[in-house]
Coordinates of all heavy atoms in Angstrom, one line a residue:
M270 N -25.3 -17.0 -2.2 CA -24.1 -16.9 -3.0 C -23.3 -15.7 -2.5 O -23.8 -14.7 -2.1 CB -24.6 -16.5 -4.5 CG -23.4 -16.3 -5.4 SD -23.7 -15.6 -7.0 CE -25.2 -16.3 -7.5
T271 N -22.0 -16.0 -2.4 CA -21.1 -15.0 -1.9 C -20.6 -14.1 -3.1 O -20.2 -14.7 -4.1 CB -19.8 -15.6 -1.2 OG1 -20.3 -16.5 -0.2 CG2 -18.9 -14.6 -0.7
Q272 N -20.7 -12.8 -2.9 CA -20.2 -11.9 -4.0 C -18.8 -11.4 -3.6 O -18.5 -11.2 -2.4 CB -21.2 -10.8 -4.2 CG -22.5 -11.3 -4.8 CD -23.4 -10.1 -5.1 OE1 -23.3 -9.0 -4.4 NE2 -24.3 -10.3 -6.0
S273 N -18.0 -11.1 -4.5 CA -16.7 -10.5 -4.3 C -16.4 -9.5 -5.4 O -17.0 -9.5 -6.5 CB -15.6 -11.5 -4.1 OG -15.4 -12.1 -5.4
V274 N -15.4 -8.7 -5.2 CA -15.0 -7.7 -6.2 C -13.6 -8.1 -6.6 O -12.8 -8.7 -5.9 CB -15.0 -6.3 -5.7 CG1 -16.4 -5.8 -5.4 CG2 -14.1 -6.1 -4.5
D275 N -13.2 -7.8 -7.9 CA -11.9 -8.1 -8.4 C -10.9 -7.1 -8.0 O -9.7 -7.3 -7.8 CB -11.9 -8.3 -9.9 CG -12.6 -9.6 -10.3 OD1 -12.7 -10.5 -9.5 OD2 -13.2 -9.6 -11.4
N276 N -11.3 -5.8 -8.0 CA -10.4 -4.7 -7.8 C -11.0 -3.8 -6.7 O -12.1 -3.3 -6.9 CB -10.1 -3.9 -9.1 CG -9.6 -4.8 -10.1 OD1 -8.5 -5.3 -10.0 ND2 -10.3 -5.0 -11.2
L277 N -10.2 -3.5 -5.7 CA -10.6 -2.6 -4.6 C -9.7 -1.3 -4.8 O -8.5 -1.4 -4.9 CB -10.4 -3.2 -3.3 CG -10.7 -2.3 -2.0 CD1 -12.1 -1.9 -2.0 CD2 -10.2 -3.1 -0.8
Y278 N -10.4 -0.2 -4.8 CA -9.6 1.1 -4.9 C -9.8 1.9 -3.6 O -10.9 2.1 -3.2 CB -10.2 1.9 -6.1 CG -9.9 1.3 -7.4 CD1 -10.8 0.4 -8.0 CD2 -8.7 1.5 -8.1 CE1 -10.6 -0.3 -9.2 CE2 -8.5 0.9 -9.3 CZ -9.4 0.0 -9.8 OH -9.2 -0.6 -11.0
I279 N -8.7 2.4 -3.1 CA -8.7 3.2 -1.8 C -8.1 4.5 -2.2 O -6.9 4.5 -2.6 CB -8.0 2.4 -0.7 CG1 -8.7 1.1 -0.4 CG2 -8.0 3.3 0.6 CD1 -8.0 0.2 0.6
F280 N -8.8 5.6 -2.0 CA -8.3 6.9 -2.3 C -8.0 7.7 -1.0 O -8.7 7.6 0.0 CB -9.4 7.7 -3.0 CG -9.7 7.1 -4.4 CD1 -10.6 6.1 -4.5 CD2 -9.0 7.6 -5.5 CE1 -10.9 5.6 -5.8 CE2 -9.3 7.1 -6.8 CZ -10.3 6.1 -6.9
D281 N -6.9 8.4 -1.0 CA -6.5 9.3 0.0 C -6.3 10.7 -0.7 O -5.2 10.8 -1.3 CB -5.3 8.9 0.8 CG -5.0 9.7 2.0 OD1 -5.5 10.9 2.1 OD2 -4.3 9.3 2.9
F282 N -7.2 11.6 -0.7 CA -7.1 12.8 -1.4 C -6.2 13.9 -0.8 O -5.8 14.8 -1.4 CB -8.5 13.4 -1.7 CG -9.3 12.5 -2.7 CD1 -10.3 11.8 -2.3 CD2 -8.9 12.4 -4.0 CE1 -11.0 11.0 -3.2 CE2 -9.6 11.7 -4.9 CZ -10.7 10.9 -4.5
F283 N -6.0 13.7 0.5 CA -5.1 14.7 1.3 C -4.1 13.9 2.0 O -4.0 13.9 3.2 CB -6.0 15.5 2.2 CG -7.1 16.2 1.5 CD1 -8.4 15.7 1.5 CD2 -6.9 17.4 0.9 CE1 -9.4 16.3 0.8 CE2 -7.9 18.1 0.2 CZ -9.2 17.6 0.2
A284 N -3.2 13.2 1.3 CA -2.3 12.2 1.8 C -1.2 12.8 2.7 O -0.7 12.1 3.6 CB -1.7 11.4 0.7
G285 N -0.8 14.0 2.4 CA 0.3 14.6 3.2 C 1.6 13.9 2.9 O 1.7 13.2 1.8
S286 N 2.5 13.9 3.8 CA 3.9 13.3 3.6 C 3.9 11.8 3.9 O 4.9 11.2 3.7 CB 4.9 14.1 4.3 OG 4.7 13.9 5.7
G287 N 2.9 11.3 4.6 CA 2.9 9.9 5.0 C 3.2 9.7 6.5 O 3.0 8.7 7.0
T288 N 3.9 10.7 7.1 CA 4.2 10.7 8.5 C 4.0 12.1 9.1 O 3.9 13.1 8.4 CB 5.7 10.3 8.7 OG1 6.5 11.3 8.1 CG2 6.0 9.0 8.2
D289 N 3.8 12.1 10.4 CA 3.7 13.4 11.1 C 5.1 13.9 11.5 O 6.1 13.3 11.2 CB 2.7 13.3 12.3 CG 3.2 12.4 13.4 OD1 4.4 12.1 13.5 OD2 2.4 12.1 14.3
S290 N 5.1 15.0 12.2 CA 6.4 15.6 12.6 C 7.2 14.7 13.6 O 8.4 14.9 13.7 CB 6.2 17.0 13.2 OG 5.4 16.9 14.4
D291 N 6.6 13.8 14.2 CA 7.3 12.9 15.1 C 7.7 11.5 14.4 O 8.2 10.6 15.1 CB 6.4 12.5 16.3 CG 6.2 13.7 17.2 OD1 7.1 14.6 17.3 OD2 5.1 13.8 17.8
G292 N 7.4 11.4 13.1 CA 7.7 10.2 12.4 C 6.6 9.1 12.5 O 6.8 8.0 12.0
E293 N 5.5 9.4 13.2 CA 4.4 8.5 13.3 C 3.7 8.4 11.9 O 3.6 9.3 11.2 CB 3.4 8.9 14.4 CG 4.0 8.9 15.8 CD 4.5 7.6 16.3 OE1 3.7 6.6 16.1 OE2 5.5 7.5 16.9
Y294 N 3.2 7.2 11.6 CA 2.5 6.9 10.4 C 1.3 7.9 10.2 O 0.5 8.0 11.2 CB 2.0 5.5 10.3 CG 3.1 4.5 9.9 CD1 2.7 3.2 9.8 CD2 4.4 4.9 9.7 CE1 3.7 2.2 9.5 CE2 5.3 3.9 9.3 CZ 5.0 2.6 9.3 OH 5.9 1.6 8.9
G295 N 1.2 8.4 9.0 CA 0.0 9.2 8.6 C -0.9 8.2 7.8 O -0.6 7.0 7.6
S296 N -2.0 8.7 7.3 CA -3.0 7.8 6.7 C -2.5 6.9 5.6 O -2.8 5.8 5.5 CB -4.2 8.6 6.2 OG -3.8 9.7 5.3
P297 N -1.6 7.4 4.7 CA -1.1 6.5 3.6 C -0.4 5.3 4.2 O -0.6 4.1 3.7 CB -0.1 7.4 2.8 CG -0.5 8.8 3.0 CD -1.0 8.8 4.5
L298 N 0.5 5.5 5.1 CA 1.3 4.4 5.7 C 0.4 3.5 6.6 O 0.6 2.3 6.7 CB 2.5 4.9 6.4 CG 3.5 5.6 5.4 CD1 4.8 6.0 6.2 CD2 3.9 4.8 4.2
I299 N -0.5 4.1 7.3 CA -1.5 3.3 8.1 C -2.3 2.4 7.2 O -2.4 1.2 7.5 CB -2.4 4.2 8.9 CG1 -1.7 5.0 10.0 CG2 -3.6 3.4 9.4 CD1 -2.5 6.1 10.7
L300 N -2.7 2.9 6.0 CA -3.5 2.0 5.1 C -2.6 0.9 4.6 O -3.0 -0.3 4.5 CB -4.0 2.9 3.9 CG -5.1 3.8 4.2 CD1 -5.3 4.8 3.1 CD2 -6.4 3.1 4.5
L301 N -1.4 1.2 4.2 CA -0.5 0.1 3.7 C -0.1 -0.9 4.7 O -0.1 -2.1 4.5 CB 0.8 0.8 3.1 CG 0.6 1.6 1.8 CD1 2.0 2.3 1.5 CD2 0.1 0.8 0.7
N302 N 0.1 -0.4 5.9 CA 0.4 -1.3 7.1 C -0.7 -2.2 7.4 O -0.5 -3.4 7.7 CB 0.8 -0.4 8.3 CG 1.6 -1.2 9.3 OD1 2.5 -2.0 9.0 ND2 1.1 -1.1 10.6
E303 N -2.0 -1.7 7.3 CA -3.1 -2.6 7.6 C -3.3 -3.6 6.5 O -3.5 -4.8 6.7 CB -4.4 -1.7 7.7 CG -4.5 -0.9 9.0 CD -4.5 -1.8 10.2 OE1 -5.2 -2.8 10.3 OE2 -3.7 -1.5 11.1
A304 N -3.1 -3.2 5.2 CA -3.2 -4.1 4.1 C -2.1 -5.2 4.2 O -2.3 -6.4 3.8 CB -3.1 -3.4 2.8
K305 N -0.9 -4.8 4.7 CA 0.2 -5.8 4.8 C -0.2 -7.0 5.6 O 0.3 -8.1 5.4 CB 1.4 -5.0 5.4 CG 2.6 -5.9 5.7 CD 3.7 -5.1 6.2 CE 3.5 -4.8 7.7 NZ 4.7 -4.1 8.4
K306 N -1.0 -6.8 6.6 CA -1.4 -7.9 7.5 C -2.2 -9.0 6.8 O -2.2 -10.1 7.2 CB -2.3 -7.3 8.6 CG -1.6 -6.3 9.6 CD -2.6 -5.8 10.5 CE -1.9 -4.7 11.4 NZ -2.9 -4.1 12.3
F307 N -2.8 -8.6 5.6 CA -3.6 -9.6 4.9 C -2.9 -10.0 3.6 O -3.5 -10.7 2.8 CB -4.9 -9.0 4.6 CG -5.7 -8.6 5.8 CD1 -5.7 -7.3 6.3 CD2 -6.4 -9.6 6.6 CE1 -6.4 -6.9 7.4 CE2 -7.0 -9.2 7.7 CZ -7.0 -7.9 8.2
C308 N -1.6 -9.6 3.4 CA -0.9 -9.9 2.1 C -1.0 -11.4 1.7 O -1.4 -11.7 0.6 CB 0.5 -9.4 2.2 SG 1.4 -9.4 0.7
E309 N -0.6 -12.2 2.6 CA -0.5 -13.6 2.2 C -1.9 -14.2 1.9 O -2.1 -14.9 0.9 CB 0.1 -14.4 3.4 CG 0.3 -15.9 3.0 CD 1.0 -16.7 4.1 OE1 1.6 -16.0 5.0 OE2 1.0 -17.9 4.0
K310 N -2.9 -13.9 2.8 CA -4.2 -14.4 2.6 C -4.8 -13.9 1.3 O -5.4 -14.7 0.6 CB -5.1 -14.0 3.8 CG -6.5 -14.5 3.7 CD -7.3 -14.0 5.0 CE -8.7 -14.6 4.9 NZ -9.5 -14.2 6.1
I311 N -4.7 -12.7 1.0 CA -5.2 -12.1 -0.2 C -4.5 -12.7 -1.4 O -5.1 -13.1 -2.4 CB -5.2 -10.6 -0.2 CG1 -6.1 -10.0 0.8 CG2 -5.5 -10.0 -1.6 CD1 -6.0 -8.5 1.0
Y312 N -3.2 -12.8 -1.3 CA -2.4 -13.3 -2.5 C -2.8 -14.7 -2.8 O -3.0 -15.1 -4.0 CB -0.9 -13.3 -2.2 CG -0.1 -13.7 -3.3 CD1 0.2 -12.9 -4.4 CD2 0.4 -15.0 -3.4 CE1 0.9 -13.3 -5.5 CE2 1.1 -15.5 -4.5 CZ 1.4 -14.6 -5.5 OH 2.1 -15.0 -6.6
R313 N -3.0 -15.6 -1.8 CA -3.3 -17.0 -2.1 C -4.7 -17.2 -2.7 O -4.9 -18.1 -3.4 CB -3.2 -17.8 -0.8 CG -1.8 -18.0 -0.3 CD -1.7 -18.8 1.0 NE -0.4 -18.8 1.4 CZ 0.4 -19.9 1.4 NH1 0.0 -21.0 0.9 NH2 1.6 -19.8 1.8
K314 N -5.6 -16.2 -2.3 CA -7.0 -16.4 -2.8 C -7.3 -15.3 -3.9 O -8.4 -15.3 -4.4 CB -8.0 -16.2 -1.7 CG -7.8 -17.2 -0.6 CD -8.8 -17.0 0.5 CE -8.7 -18.1 1.5 NZ -9.7 -18.0 2.6
A315 N -6.3 -14.6 -4.3 CA -6.5 -13.4 -5.2 C -7.1 -13.7 -6.6 O -8.1 -13.2 -7.0 CB -5.3 -12.6 -5.3
N316 N -6.4 -14.6 -7.3 CA -6.9 -14.9 -8.6 C -7.1 -13.7 -9.4 O -8.3 -13.4 -9.8 CB -8.1 -15.9 -8.6 CG -7.8 -17.2 -8.0 OD1 -6.7 -17.7 -8.1 ND2 -8.8 -17.7 -7.3
N317 N -6.1 -12.9 -9.6 CA -6.2 -11.7 -10.4 C -7.0 -10.6 -9.7 O -7.5 -9.7 -10.4 CB -6.7 -11.9 -11.8 CG -5.8 -12.8 -12.6 OD1 -4.6 -12.7 -12.5 ND2 -6.4 -13.7 -13.4
K318 N -7.0 -10.6 -8.4 CA -7.7 -9.5 -7.7 C -6.6 -8.6 -7.2 O -5.4 -8.9 -7.1 CB -8.4 -10.1 -6.5 CG -9.6 -10.9 -6.8 CD -10.3 -11.4 -5.6 CE -11.4 -12.4 -5.9 NZ -12.3 -12.1 -7.0
S319 N -6.9 -7.3 -7.0 CA -5.9 -6.4 -6.5 C -6.5 -5.3 -5.6 O -7.7 -5.1 -5.7 CB -5.2 -5.7 -7.7 OG -6.1 -4.8 -8.4
I320 N -5.7 -4.7 -4.9 CA -6.0 -3.5 -4.1 C -5.2 -2.3 -4.7 O -4.0 -2.5 -4.8 CB -5.7 -3.6 -2.6 CG1 -6.5 -4.8 -2.0 CG2 -6.1 -2.3 -1.9 CD1 -6.2 -5.1 -0.6
S321 N -5.8 -1.3 -5.1 CA -5.1 -0.1 -5.6 C -5.3 1.0 -4.6 O -6.4 1.4 -4.2 CB -5.6 0.3 -6.9 OG -5.4 -0.7 -7.9
F322 N -4.1 1.6 -4.2 CA -4.1 2.8 -3.3 C -3.8 4.0 -4.2 O -2.8 4.0 -4.9 CB -3.1 2.7 -2.3 CG -3.3 1.5 -1.3 CD1 -2.8 0.3 -1.5 CD2 -4.1 1.8 -0.2 CE1 -3.1 -0.8 -0.6 CE2 -4.3 0.7 0.7 CZ -3.8 -0.5 0.5
I323 N -4.6 5.0 -4.1 CA -4.4 6.2 -4.9 C -4.1 7.3 -3.9 O -5.1 7.7 -3.1 CB -5.5 6.6 -5.8 CG1 -5.7 5.5 -6.9 CG2 -5.3 7.9 -6.5 CD1 -6.6 4.4 -6.6
F324 N -2.9 7.9 -3.8 CA -2.6 8.9 -2.9 C -2.4 10.2 -3.6 O -1.6 10.3 -4.6 CB -1.3 8.6 -2.1 CG -1.3 7.3 -1.4 CD1 -0.5 6.2 -1.6 CD2 -2.3 7.1 -0.4 CE1 -0.5 5.1 -0.9 CE2 -2.4 6.0 0.3 CZ -1.5 4.9 0.1
N325 N -3.1 11.2 -3.2 CA -3.0 12.5 -3.8 C -2.5 13.6 -2.8 O -2.9 13.6 -1.6 CB -4.4 13.0 -4.3 CG -4.4 14.3 -5.0 OD1 -3.9 14.3 -6.1 ND2 -4.9 15.3 -4.4
E326 N -1.6 14.4 -3.2 CA -1.0 15.4 -2.4 C -0.7 16.6 -3.3 O 0.1 16.5 -4.2 CB 0.2 15.0 -1.6 CG 0.8 16.1 -0.8 CD -0.1 16.8 0.1 OE1 -0.9 16.2 0.8 OE2 -0.1 18.1 0.1
K327 N -1.2 17.8 -3.0 CA -1.0 19.0 -3.8 C 0.4 19.6 -3.6 O 1.0 20.0 -4.6 CB -2.1 20.0 -3.4 CG -2.0 21.3 -4.2 CD -3.1 22.3 -3.8 CE -3.1 23.5 -4.6 NZ -4.1 24.5 -4.2
S328 N 0.9 19.6 -2.4 CA 2.2 20.2 -2.1 C 3.3 19.4 -2.7 O 3.4 18.2 -2.4 CB 2.4 20.4 -0.6 OG 3.7 20.6 -0.3
K329 N 4.1 19.9 -3.5 CA 5.2 19.2 -4.2 C 6.2 18.7 -3.1 O 6.6 17.5 -3.2 CB 6.0 20.1 -5.1 CG 7.3 19.6 -5.6 CD 7.1 18.9 -7.0 CE 8.4 18.6 -7.6 NZ 8.9 17.3 -7.3
N330 N 6.5 19.5 -2.1 CA 7.4 19.0 -1.0 C 6.8 17.8 -0.3 O 7.5 16.8 0.0 CB 7.7 20.2 -0.1 CG 8.6 21.2 -0.7 OD1 9.3 21.0 -1.7 ND2 8.5 22.4 -0.1
K331 N 5.6 17.9 0.1 CA 4.9 16.8 0.8 C 4.8 15.6 -0.1 O 5.0 14.4 0.4 CB 3.5 17.2 1.4 CG 3.6 18.1 2.5 CD 2.2 18.4 3.1 CE 2.3 19.3 4.3 NZ 1.0 19.6 4.8
F332 N 4.5 15.8 -1.4 CA 4.4 14.7 -2.3 C 5.8 14.0 -2.4 O 5.8 12.7 -2.4 CB 4.0 15.1 -3.7 CG 3.9 14.0 -4.7 CD1 2.8 13.2 -4.7 CD2 4.9 13.8 -5.6 CE1 2.8 12.1 -5.6 CE2 4.9 12.8 -6.5 CZ 3.8 11.9 -6.5
D333 N 6.8 14.7 -2.5 CA 8.2 14.1 -2.6 C 8.5 13.3 -1.3 O 9.0 12.2 -1.4 CB 9.2 15.2 -2.8 CG 9.2 15.8 -4.2 OD1 8.5 15.2 -5.1 OD2 9.7 16.9 -4.4
E334 N 8.1 13.8 -0.2 CA 8.3 13.1 1.1 C 7.5 11.9 1.1 O 7.9 10.8 1.5 CB 8.0 14.0 2.3 CG 9.0 15.1 2.6 CD 8.6 15.9 3.8 OE1 8.3 15.3 4.8 OE2 8.5 17.1 3.7
L335 N 6.2 12.0 0.6 CA 5.3 10.8 0.6 C 5.9 9.7 -0.3 O 5.9 8.6 0.1 CB 3.9 11.3 0.1 CG 2.9 10.2 -0.2 CD1 2.6 9.4 1.1 CD2 1.7 10.7 -0.9
E336 N 6.4 10.1 -1.4 CA 6.9 9.1 -2.4 C 8.1 8.4 -1.7 O 8.2 7.1 -1.8 CB 7.4 9.8 -3.6 CG 7.6 8.9 -4.8 CD 7.6 9.7 -6.1 OE1 8.2 10.8 -6.1 OE2 7.1 9.2 -7.1
G337 N 9.0 9.1 -1.0 CA 10.1 8.5 -0.3 C 9.6 7.6 0.8 O 10.2 6.5 1.0
N338 N 8.6 8.1 1.6 CA 8.1 7.3 2.7 C 7.5 6.0 2.2 O 7.6 4.9 2.9 CB 7.1 8.1 3.5 CG 7.8 9.1 4.4 OD1 9.0 8.9 4.8 ND2 7.2 10.2 4.6
I339 N 6.7 6.0 1.1 CA 6.1 4.8 0.6 C 7.2 3.9 0.1 O 7.1 2.7 0.3 CB 5.1 5.2 -0.5 CG1 3.9 5.9 0.1 CG2 4.7 3.9 -1.3 CD1 2.9 6.4 -1.0
D340 N 8.2 4.4 -0.7 CA 9.2 3.6 -1.1 C 10.0 2.9 0.0 O 10.3 1.7 -0.1 CB 10.2 4.4 -2.0 CG 9.6 4.8 -3.3 OD1 8.6 4.3 -3.7 OD2 10.2 5.7 -3.9
D341 N 10.2 3.6 1.1 CA 10.9 3.1 2.3 C 10.0 2.0 2.9 O 10.5 0.9 3.3 CB 11.2 4.1 3.3 CG 12.3 5.1 2.8 OD1 13.0 4.8 1.9 OD2 12.5 6.1 3.5
F342 N 8.7 2.2 3.0 CA 7.8 1.3 3.6 C 7.8 0.0 2.8 O 7.9 -1.1 3.4 CB 6.4 1.8 3.6 CG 5.4 0.9 4.2 CD1 5.1 0.9 5.5 CD2 4.7 0.0 3.4 CE1 4.2 0.0 6.1 CE2 3.8 -0.9 3.9 CZ 3.5 -0.9 5.3
I343 N 7.7 0.1 1.5 CA 7.7 -1.1 0.6 C 9.0 -1.9 0.7 O 9.0 -3.1 0.8 CB 7.4 -0.7 -0.9 CG1 6.0 -0.1 -1.0 CG2 7.5 -1.9 -1.8 CD1 4.8 -1.0 -0.7
T344 N 10.1 -1.2 0.7 CA 11.4 -1.8 0.8 C 11.6 -2.5 2.1 O 12.0 -3.7 2.2 CB 12.6 -0.8 0.6 OG1 12.5 -0.2 -0.7 CG2 13.9 -1.4 0.8
N345 N 11.2 -1.9 3.2 CA 11.2 -2.5 4.5 C 10.3 -3.7 4.6 O 10.7 -4.7 5.1 CB 10.8 -1.5 5.6 CG 11.0 -2.0 7.0 OD1 12.0 -2.6 7.3 ND2 10.0 -1.7 7.8
C346 N 9.1 -3.6 4.1 CA 8.2 -4.7 4.0 C 8.8 -5.9 3.3 O 8.8 -7.0 3.7 CB 6.9 -4.3 3.4 SG 5.6 -5.6 3.5
R347 N 9.3 -5.6 2.1 CA 9.9 -6.6 1.2 C 11.1 -7.3 1.9 O 11.2 -8.5 1.8 CB 10.4 -6.0 -0.1 CG 11.0 -7.0 -1.1 CD 11.4 -6.3 -2.4 NE 10.3 -5.9 -3.1 CZ 10.2 -4.6 -3.6 NH1 11.1 -3.7 -3.4 NH2 9.1 -4.3 -4.3
N348 N 11.9 -6.6 2.6 CA 13.2 -7.1 3.1 C 13.0 -7.7 4.5 O 13.8 -8.6 4.9 CB 14.2 -6.0 3.2 CG 14.7 -5.6 1.8 OD1 14.6 -6.3 0.9 ND2 15.2 -4.4 1.7
H349 N 12.0 -7.4 5.3 CA 11.9 -7.8 6.7 C 10.6 -8.4 7.1 O 10.6 -9.1 8.1 CB 12.3 -6.6 7.6 CG 13.6 -6.0 7.3 ND1 14.8 -6.6 7.6 CD2 13.9 -4.8 6.7 CE1 15.8 -5.9 7.2 NE2 15.3 -4.8 6.7
H350 N 9.5 -8.1 6.5 CA 8.2 -8.5 7.1 C 7.4 -9.4 6.2 O 6.7 -10.3 6.7 CB 7.4 -7.3 7.4 CG 8.1 -6.4 8.4 ND1 8.3 -6.7 9.7 CD2 8.7 -5.2 8.2 CE1 8.9 -5.7 10.3 NE2 9.2 -4.8 9.5
C351 N 7.4 -9.2 4.9 CA 6.5 -9.9 4.0 C 7.2 -11.1 3.4 O 8.4 -11.1 3.3 CB 5.9 -9.0 2.9 SG 4.9 -7.6 3.6
N352 N 6.4 -12.0 3.0 CA 6.9 -13.2 2.3 C 7.5 -12.8 1.0 O 6.7 -12.2 0.1 CB 5.8 -14.2 2.2 CG 6.2 -15.5 1.6 OD1 7.1 -15.6 0.8 ND2 5.6 -16.6 2.1
K353 N 8.7 -13.0 0.7 CA 9.4 -12.6 -0.5 C 8.7 -13.2 -1.7 O 8.8 -12.6 -2.8 CB 10.9 -12.9 -0.4 CG 11.6 -12.1 0.6 CD 13.1 -12.3 0.5 CE 13.9 -11.7 1.6 NZ 13.5 -10.5 2.1
E354 N 8.1 -14.4 -1.6 CA 7.4 -15.0 -2.7 C 6.4 -14.1 -3.3 O 6.3 -14.0 -4.6 CB 6.7 -16.3 -2.2 CG 5.8 -16.9 -3.3 CD 5.0 -18.0 -2.7 OE1 5.2 -18.4 -1.5 OE2 4.1 -18.5 -3.4
Y355 N 5.7 -13.3 -2.5 CA 4.6 -12.5 -3.0 C 5.2 -11.3 -3.7 O 4.6 -10.8 -4.7 CB 3.7 -12.0 -1.9 CG 3.2 -13.2 -1.1 CD1 3.3 -13.3 0.3 CD2 2.6 -14.3 -1.7 CE1 2.9 -14.4 1.0 CE2 2.2 -15.4 -1.1 CZ 2.3 -15.4 0.3 OH 1.9 -16.5 1.0
F356 N 6.3 -10.8 -3.2 CA 7.0 -9.6 -3.9 C 7.6 -10.1 -5.2 O 7.6 -9.4 -6.2 CB 8.0 -8.9 -3.0 CG 7.3 -8.0 -2.1 CD1 7.0 -8.4 -0.8 CD2 6.9 -6.8 -2.4 CE1 6.4 -7.6 0.1 CE2 6.3 -5.9 -1.6 CZ 6.0 -6.3 -0.3
D357 N 8.2 -11.3 -5.2 CA 8.8 -11.8 -6.4 C 7.8 -12.0 -7.6 O 8.1 -11.8 -8.7 CB 9.6 -13.1 -6.2 CG 10.8 -12.9 -5.3 OD1 11.2 -11.8 -5.1 OD2 11.2 -13.9 -4.7
K358 N 6.6 -12.4 -7.2 CA 5.6 -12.6 -8.2 C 4.8 -11.3 -8.5 O 3.9 -11.3 -9.3 CB 4.7 -13.7 -7.8 CG 5.4 -15.1 -7.8 CD 4.4 -16.2 -7.4 CE 5.2 -17.5 -7.4 NZ 4.3 -18.6 -6.9
G359 N 5.0 -10.3 -7.7 CA 4.2 -9.1 -7.8 C 3.3 -8.9 -6.6 O 2.5 -9.8 -6.4
C360 N 3.5 -7.9 -5.9 CA 2.7 -7.7 -4.7 C 1.2 -7.5 -5.1 O 0.9 -7.1 -6.2 CB 3.1 -6.4 -3.9 SG 2.5 -6.4 -2.3
F361 N 0.3 -7.8 -4.2 CA -1.1 -7.8 -4.5 C -1.7 -6.4 -4.6 O -2.8 -6.2 -5.1 CB -1.9 -8.6 -3.5 CG -2.1 -7.9 -2.2 CD1 -3.2 -7.1 -1.9 CD2 -1.1 -8.1 -1.2 CE1 -3.3 -6.5 -0.7 CE2 -1.3 -7.4 0.0 CZ -2.4 -6.6 0.3
F362 N -1.0 -5.4 -4.2 CA -1.5 -4.0 -4.3 C -0.7 -3.2 -5.2 O 0.5 -3.3 -5.4 CB -1.8 -3.4 -2.9 CG -0.6 -3.3 -2.0 CD1 0.4 -2.4 -2.1 CD2 -0.5 -4.2 -0.9 CE1 1.5 -2.3 -1.3 CE2 0.6 -4.1 -0.1 CZ 1.5 -3.2 -0.2
N363 N -1.4 -2.2 -5.8 CA -0.8 -1.2 -6.7 C -0.9 0.1 -6.0 O -1.8 0.4 -5.3 CB -1.7 -1.1 -8.0 CG -1.8 -2.4 -8.7 OD1 -0.8 -3.1 -8.9 ND2 -3.0 -2.8 -9.0
I364 N 0.2 0.9 -6.2 CA 0.2 2.2 -5.6 C 0.3 3.3 -6.7 O 1.2 3.2 -7.5 CB 1.4 2.3 -4.6 CG1 1.3 1.3 -3.5 CG2 1.5 3.7 -4.0 CD1 2.5 1.2 -2.6
K365 N -0.6 4.2 -6.7 CA -0.6 5.3 -7.6 C -0.4 6.6 -6.8 O -1.2 6.8 -5.9 CB -1.9 5.3 -8.4 CG -2.1 4.1 -9.2 CD -3.5 4.1 -9.9 CE -3.9 2.9 -10.6 NZ -3.0 1.8 -10.8
K366 N 0.6 7.3 -7.2 CA 0.8 8.6 -6.4 C 0.6 9.7 -7.4 O 1.2 9.9 -8.4 CB 2.3 8.6 -5.9 CG 2.6 7.4 -5.0 CD 4.0 7.3 -4.7 CE 4.6 6.4 -5.8 NZ 6.0 6.0 -5.5
N367 N -0.4 10.5 -7.1 CA -0.8 11.7 -7.9 C -0.5 13.0 -7.2 O -0.7 13.1 -6.1 CB -2.3 11.6 -8.3 CG -2.6 10.4 -9.2 OD1 -1.8 10.1 -10.1 ND2 -3.7 9.8 -8.9

């Protein structure tokens, strides 16, 4: 018998701003970028399954940058890379920024 989980939670407790000083992806955007590769496959088989990313950053400045970087990533994905059908119905992952 194959077992599966309905909800996967991924935590990044020291998320930073999402990019380094050269604009290269940091761990939050790397995680989202990797998940993006499986968006269609997960969505088609999801049946109420989800991936939740929880990003934590203590520094207010870095947190504000992180929030902007995540929003930009999602907008870019929605407009250029991902199947719009999945975004119209609700993307398969949830993002919580603490």
